[in-house]
Amino acid sequence: MSGEPVLYFITHPDVVIDPAVPITDWPLSDRGRVRIAALASTPWLWSLSAIYCSTERKARDGAALLCGLRGLTPIERTDLGENDRSSTGYLPPAEFQATADAFFAEPESSIRGWARAVDEQARIVAALEAVMAQASGSVAVVSHGAVGALALAHYLGQPISRALDQPGTCGGHFFALSIAQRSVLHGWRPVDPS
């Protein structure tokens, strides 16, 4: 990235889904741990001055793994969390996907009690702006897919749309922002390209 400071927004990969456990407490699965560890092969991981994460277990797990590789301590921020969907809790996959589609399609409405997409976009952008304002070099944020899509829409200057969501359904992607320009350097890429 030509030596300029960059923010890498990383979504946690595969998790252990347990309907009996609150969504915020789901850990990374073994596959998720292997996938995020693949970032060790990326040169930019070694240039990071800090790694931030959501306070949700899956993001903390990913950040802890990356920090262990890099010799850093994760910096947790509640405002880096996923969109608030506590009103429904766990939803079976097809029902979750339909609800997520509506969340993106109607950003100014609360879908089934979920927080509105416009509000969650404002929150995640404010959190990223705070991280970038205090960055002393390149940084990473380990967070979540839906809020990542909302942030990407903002920094691309595009309307909220699920078309900007990360590919697939198991997470584990990242995009990069120029901290100086607040511009998107590249869109979603997998944490484990092979």
Side-chain angles (χ1 to χ4, degrees):
M1 300 290 167
S2 68
E4 68 177 301
V6 175
L7 182 144
Y8 297 94
F9 187 101
I10 306 164
T11 67
H12 65 80
D14 316 63
V15 300
V16 177
I17 296 174
D18 184 348
V21 173
I23 295 168
T24 54
D25 294 334
W26 289 352
L28 286 184
S29 68
D30 290 343
R31 181 174 186 263
R33 289 179 178 283
V34 168
R35 291 185 64 213
I36 202 160
L39 287 174
S41 67
T42 61
W44 59 259
L45 179 67
W46 308 101
S47 71
L48 298 178
S49 62
I51 298 176
Y52 294 80
C53 66
S54 151
T55 57
E56 295 186 33
R57 168 81 187 272
K58 46 197 169 275
R60 291 191 337 259
D61 285 355
L65 197 152
L66 294 176
C67 282
L69 293 170
R70 182 63 188 80
L72 298 170
T73 300
I75 303 168
E76 296 182 18
R77 293 182 61 112
T78 57
D79 54 1
L80 292 173
E82 182 60 287
N83 61 306
D84 181 357
R85 49 185 202 259
S86 56
S87 62
T88 58
Y90 170 80
L91 293 173
E95 189 177 353
F96 172 80
Q97 293 301 329
T99 307
D101 286 344
F103 169 81
F104 283 101
E106 301 174 48
E108 296 192 11
S109 299
S110 172
I111 308 301
R112 298 184 64 180
W114 286 15
R116 301 183 318 156
V118 291
D119 298 328
E120 296 294 40
Q121 183 183 55
R123 172 185 54 83
I124 194 64
V125 168
L128 295 178
E129 287 294 323
V131 166
M132 289 189 283
Q134 63 189 28
S136 60
S138 292
V139 297
V141 168
V142 183
S143 187
H144 309 273
V147 292
L150 297 173
L152 190 57
H154 170 81
Y155 288 106
L156 288 171
Q158 295 183 15
I160 291 171
S161 167
R162 193 147 196 209
L164 294 173
D165 202 357
Q166 63 183 333
T169 58
C170 293
H173 290 81
F174 69 97
F175 64 81
L177 298 175
S178 161
I179 291 177
Q181 302 299 318
R182 301 299 203 266
S183 59
V184 177
L185 298 171
H186 67 71
W188 293 116
R189 293 180 181 173
V191 294
D192 55 343
S194 59

